[in-house]
Amino acid sequence: MLKKRICIYTSDVQWITGRNESAARRLLRKLRQKLNKTREQFVTIDEFAEYTGINPDQIRKYIDD
């Protein structure tokens, strides 16, 4: 069974956007605030895609390769 991630991490945001680590963390922090999530809660690929306007399939392909 092939397992795929559903969460997105700071390093993924860096690769996808070309931003540095602090900017990627800031982006995820803003998204968590918008979604009323705590620091401990994960951000999903779909949530990130909707927030940034990037197609979720493109994100999945990029981080699953």
Side-chain angles (χ1 to χ4, degrees):
M1 179 169 142
L2 182 62
K3 296 182 181 181
K4 295 194 177 204
R5 284 194 289 145
I6 61 169
C7 299
I8 194 158
Y9 300 99
T10 303
S11 57
D12 299 323
V13 175
Q14 286 180 263
W15 280 103
I16 293 165
T17 64
R19 294 181 175 193
N20 64 30
E21 184 177 358
S22 60
R25 287 185 187 278
R26 223 175 10 257
L27 178 63
L28 287 175
R29 192 176 319 123
K30 286 180 184 179
L31 178 51
R32 280 191 189 93
Q33 288 173 346
K34 182 179 182 208
L35 298 172
N36 295 316
K37 289 189 171 199
T38 66
R39 277 179 65 182
E40 294 79 22
Q41 292 177 304
F42 293 105
V43 173
T44 68
I45 292 169
D46 290 333
E47 291 168 336
F48 179 78
E50 184 176 334
Y51 183 73
T52 60
I54 300 171
N55 184 317
D57 293 329
Q58 287 180 309
I59 295 171
R60 283 187 188 91
K61 183 180 179 191
Y62 196 83
I63 65 174
D64 287 340
D65 285 345

